[in-house]
Amino acid sequence: MVYAARLLRNVAFQSNYMRIHVESGRQTAVRRRTGGVRRRPGAVRRQCSAEASVTEHTILGTLRGMVESSVRERFPDYDKPIDVAECANTSLGDFQSSSAMQIFSALAKAGETSFRSPRDVADEIVAGISEREMFDSITIAGPGFINFRLSDNYIRSELFRETKSAELGPTIKRHVLVDFSSPNIAKEMHVGHLRSTIIGDTLCNVFEFCGYTTTRVNHVGDWGTQFGMLIQFMKENGISPDSSVSDLQACYKQAKQKFDVDDDFKAKSKDMVVKLQSYDPETAHMWRQICSASRAEFQTIYDRLKIRIVEKGESFYNDMIPSVLDELQSKRLIVEDAGALCIFTESDDTPVICRKSDGGFNYASTDLAAVRHRIMSEKADKIIYVTDQGQHKHFKAIFKTANEAGWGDAQVALEHVGFGVVLDEAEERCFKFLEEKGTNLTTDEIKHASKVLGVSSVKYADLQNNRLTNYTFSFDRMLDLKGNTAMYLQYSHARVATILQKSSFAGRPDQFSISHEEERLLAIQIIKFQDALLTTLQDLAPSKLCEYLYTLCSTFNNFYAECKVIGGDNEESRIYLCERTLYTMKLTFSLLGIEPLERL
Ligand code: ARG
């Protein structure tokens, strides 16, 4: 039974993705407002957390605050969360609240009969909203929905405000450490690592943009008993440690086979582990060479995807392990079971082994030392792990132990998909597609565009998926010009950029006015940018940002179909709207780590 737990990290990757979030006590003390906080009219000051202070910059947060203060004043006994959401049918309103119905049924349950229907409750809530300049109208519909339509003045002022202040600005300096990518030395990076790389990088971008300090850690698997086996095998067969990762991986496979059947080899491999762990110069040298060969190959992938990450592999924590395990043992958080040191999470779970019965350290011992170091020495307020679902139980055990030890906080996210050669094929297909479709681009420009399109398609397909769902990358879907694809986004971006290139003058904010419903909807979508950032960080889901960008593009395309820009009515105002669109598109592209194309 115990042995099964040891195999945990090798179990087949499950297709879905999960996370665990444990807030540390220390965080509360670290949280600090550092000024620069803008507040919309009526924004309710919330608890002091970084996410909440970003709420004050969002439309939804402001609106919720207004409804909330009216409800708290008029229905002081009602303490449930207030519902405000985007309105699916924009002819009814831009935002909608269904709280009146919920409050009415709570009143009815409590035997309170002074309101005859949810609509009466809605009336009461509306009456309690004093600041009205944000709205064109507040109406009550159906059984008691409250619909809010934003006023042109409000939209204008938000649109201008964003022109001046491009960023959310630092709200609270908090340090987020994101452990992502983390492939293993002498093994090829698999799709799970690639997906982790892409999601981790985007999360870091968004955190940084919102004023967090981030540390991007590549927790590469560069330590462990497998290196003893590998080095022994390479020495016996005269294989250079300076080999490609795929050769190293093949060696590893053969070494493993030999290890399982050949007792002499097994014994020698174990001696080799001891040598490595005592930093025997020759063995350590070979190990370093193996590491740098793998590292160079990983780097080519990071370069291609334009990923920034700093390596701090498993070996970094090796010397810290014994004292960490001692500490945990003395706190009775890890216990001996059949000779191994184990973490027990739930009674029916198999324990997670953190020191093998032969005394060797493993993946879990390293992660215990790492999480302690990250909290205590690197002073991370939040730690996010982006890995595959198969490691759920492992992290659950690590976090539980870290919390009980009084260290703090961590967060996990996991996944798996088919990748690697996908990049090359994506590029090739995009090249063919552009050639056949016919463009004004030169061959060199097509080459460049297909390179960018290939990478963006693969990245976007990954980011756009809800973390909880599995996905299969489809080349056919990638080239879909109408769907939620990078191709569609790139075409939309290039369209806006081209319009602005063609325009002979710049937009004039002072001429900005709303004369068409599509203009209004586009402006609203632009000012919802910060709402999108907030949900992305709250859910740790880049898919939310993708959804935002996709809607921005389609709203723009609707606008463009209805409203002539160059030479049309209202030209300077529309050009200004295009400039704001382009700016917001570029910003979102850059957060997603995707290079936008100016021409297509
Ligand atoms: N190297 C591990 C793997 O390939 C991922 C490491 C994730 N990070 C961590 N701190 N355990 O599965």
Side-chain angles (χ1 to χ4, degrees):
M1 214 173 81
V2 170
Y3 184 64
R6 200 181 331 173
L7 293 177
L8 184 76
R9 64 178 294 225
N10 298 327
V11 299
F13 296 119
Q14 289 165 31
S15 54
N16 52 0
Y17 196 78
M18 59 84 47
R19 69 193 168 95
I20 298 172
H21 186 185
V22 193
E23 289 266 309
S24 79
R26 197 169 66 74
Q27 220 168 277
T28 332
V30 173
R31 287 173 185 156
R32 203 160 31 93
R33 301 176 75 94
T34 53
V37 178
R38 289 179 315 239
R39 301 178 77 210
R40 299 192 188 213
V44 168
R45 186 176 288 266
R46 283 157 190 265
Q47 276 180 327
C48 186
S49 81
E51 285 79 2
S53 76
V54 178
T55 305
E56 295 172 357
H57 300 273
T58 69
I59 305 176
L60 208 55
T62 305
L63 207 50
R64 189 173 292 124
M66 287 178 168
V67 176
E68 194 162 353
S69 49
S70 168
V71 169
R72 299 297 171 239
E73 184 202 317
R74 310 262 161 156
F75 303 94
D77 292 338
Y78 187 76
D79 56 3
K80 304 258 157 45
I82 299 300
D83 165 71
V84 180
E86 288 182 10
C87 200
N89 180 347
T90 51
S91 67
L92 292 174
D94 302 311
F95 293 90
Q96 184 171 75
S97 171
S98 64
S99 283
M101 276 88 82
Q102 292 146 11
I103 295 172
F104 182 78
S105 67
L107 290 174
K109 254 193 212 139
E112 166 65 62
T113 55
S114 44
F115 291 89
R116 277 167 309 145
S117 73
R119 288 185 73 104
D120 289 352
V121 174
D123 273 332
E124 190 70 18
I125 297 173
V126 174
I129 297 176
S130 50
E131 288 186 74
R132 295 297 177 96
E133 64 270 36
M134 186 171 168
F135 310 107
D136 183 28
S137 65
I138 306 180
T139 51
I140 297 170
F145 288 105
I146 307 174
N147 291 320
F148 301 89
R149 191 178 150 91
L150 299 179
S151 70
D152 288 2
N153 263 342
Y154 174 77
I155 298 171
R156 281 168 55 103
S157 67
E158 286 298 295
L159 210 56
F160 296 164
R161 194 170 60 88
E162 230 145 311
T163 317
K164 285 181 238 126
S165 119
E167 297 174 355
L168 279 176
T171 50
I172 287 174
K173 271 289 166 224
R174 282 179 68 197
H175 177 198
V176 187
L177 188 149
V178 186
D179 174 324
F180 66 100
S181 193
S182 308
N184 300 310
I185 297 294
K187 290 194 191 159
E188 272 173 295
M189 209 189 253
H190 63 59
V191 291
H193 295 127
L194 275 154
R195 195 162 185 205
S196 163
T197 307
I198 291 164
I199 291 174
D201 180 62
T202 298
L203 286 176
C204 287
N205 291 346
V206 180
F207 274 114
E208 282 162 14
F209 184 74
C210 289
Y212 291 75
T213 308
T214 64
T215 304
R216 299 154 166 260
V217 184
N218 202 359
H219 188 85
V220 294
D222 62 356
W223 201 249
T225 45
Q226 71 273 22
F227 285 98
M229 195 166 77
L230 185 64
I231 293 174
Q232 181 61 30
F233 185 85
M234 290 172 81
K235 272 188 139 172
E236 279 181 15
N237 295 281
I239 298 164
S240 157
D242 197 18
S243 307
S244 70
V245 174
S246 61
D247 287 349
L248 288 171
Q249 182 154 312
C251 265
Y252 178 78
K253 255 196 186 149
Q254 290 175 36
K256 176 86 181 73
Q257 275 166 3
K258 192 157 187 201
F259 186 87
D260 289 340
V261 295
D262 181 338
D263 284 344
D264 181 49
F265 180 73
K266 197 175 198 163
K268 283 185 177 149
S269 297
K270 284 188 172 165
D271 286 348
M272 194 57 88
V273 175
V274 176
K275 274 189 174 174
L276 180 61
Q277 281 178 338
S278 58
Y279 303 105
D280 160 66
E282 194 201 332
T283 317
H285 179 69
M286 253 182 108
W287 169 75
R288 271 194 298 273
Q289 278 180 302
I290 295 172
C291 290
S292 54
S294 297
R295 192 174 295 136
E297 253 173 69
F298 298 152
Q299 194 56 46
T300 58
I301 296 185
Y302 297 140
D303 289 346
R304 232 170 134 185
L305 297 172
K306 297 198 167 57
I307 301 290
R308 278 183 294 131
I309 189 161
V310 178
E311 182 178 324
K312 196 176 265 181
E314 293 180 4
S315 59
F316 178 83
Y317 307 97
N318 191 46
D319 295 341
M320 305 172 194
I321 297 175
S323 65
V324 173
L325 294 189
D326 281 350
E327 176 187 340
L328 293 174
Q329 220 175 346
S330 72
K331 290 182 172 166
R332 298 192 186 292
L333 297 174
I334 54 178
V335 289
E336 217 169 303
D337 187 76
L341 271 183
C342 301
I343 304 171
F344 286 88
T345 45
E346 269 138 44
S347 51
D348 53 337
D349 265 0
T350 46
V352 169
I353 296 179
C354 60
R355 195 185 68 205
K356 299 186 282 183
S357 48
D358 62 8
F361 301 136
N362 66 358
Y363 189 57
S365 9
T366 307
D367 259 326
L368 287 171
V371 76
R372 187 180 191 284
H373 186 265
R374 290 164 180 184
I375 297 166
M376 312 290 274
S377 303
E378 299 193 61
K379 304 265 180 257
D381 297 309
K382 198 180 185 92
I383 306 171
I384 297 169
Y385 296 80
V386 189
T387 66
D388 60 274
Q389 163 74 6
Q391 303 192 31
H392 168 50
K393 200 179 126 188
H394 163 80
F395 283 113
K396 193 165 126 191
I398 302 292
F399 297 163
K400 175 180 175 276
T401 313
N403 273 323
E404 290 174 358
W407 299 337
D409 164 44
Q411 190 147 354
V412 181
L414 322 156
E415 138 50 341
H416 172 236
V417 199
F419 222 100
V421 289
V422 175
L423 272 177
D424 295 326
E425 184 162 351
E427 193 177 314
E428 231 167 78
R429 292 217 189 191
C430 289
F431 186 83
K432 251 212 203 113
F433 174 83
L434 290 180
E435 257 193 344
E436 280 165 18
K437 188 171 176 295
T439 70
N440 297 328
L441 305 182
T442 64
T443 311
D444 275 352
E445 284 172 333
I446 295 184
K447 265 192 196 143
H448 172 73
S450 41
K451 207 173 223 134
V452 174
L453 281 175
V455 172
S456 37
S457 298
V458 173
K459 272 193 170 184
Y460 188 75
D462 215 339
L463 291 168
Q464 169 231 352
N465 273 276
N466 180 316
R467 285 188 288 101
L468 296 161
T469 53
N470 190 11
Y471 91 101
T472 321
F473 184 79
S474 148
F475 288 108
D476 293 332
R477 213 182 107 68
M478 169 183 97
L479 299 174
D480 180 358
L481 273 177
K482 293 197 189 78
N484 185 0
T485 57
M487 195 65 108
Y488 175 77
L489 305 180
Q490 292 280 16
Y491 265 100
S492 307
H493 177 271
R495 179 169 302 134
V496 190
T498 310
I499 295 168
L500 290 174
Q501 277 154 21
K502 282 193 188 141
S503 157
S504 42
F505 48 85
R508 287 180 49 186
D510 59 324
Q511 293 291 311
F512 180 71
S513 66
I514 295 174
S515 63
H516 194 287
E517 181 63 8
E518 295 299 339
E519 291 177 339
R520 203 181 82 84
L521 295 178
L522 178 56
I524 292 179
Q525 182 59 20
I526 295 170
I527 65 179
K528 277 183 185 167
F529 176 64
Q530 292 173 0
D531 289 58
L533 285 181
L534 180 70
T535 38
T536 304
L537 290 191
Q538 268 172 349
D539 299 354
L540 292 177
S543 62
K544 299 284 177 188
L545 204 54
C546 294
E547 214 172 278
Y548 172 79
L549 183 56
Y550 176 62
T551 309
L552 180 61
C553 290
S554 56
T555 313
F556 174 80
N557 289 327
N558 292 342
F559 155 80
Y560 192 56
E562 293 286 326
C563 304
K564 188 167 177 197
V565 177
I566 296 182
D569 303 339
N570 230 351
E571 186 171 353
E572 285 162 316
S573 167
R574 286 182 179 168
I575 290 285
Y576 172 67
L577 203 51
C578 290
E579 287 172 355
R580 300 292 304 132
T581 306
L582 191 69
Y583 173 80
T584 313
M585 280 182 178
K586 281 197 195 307
L587 202 52
T588 316
F589 267 102
S590 81
L591 291 174
L592 293 173
I594 295 176
E595 178 184 339
L597 286 168
E598 300 298 314
R599 259 152 56 82
L600 253 177

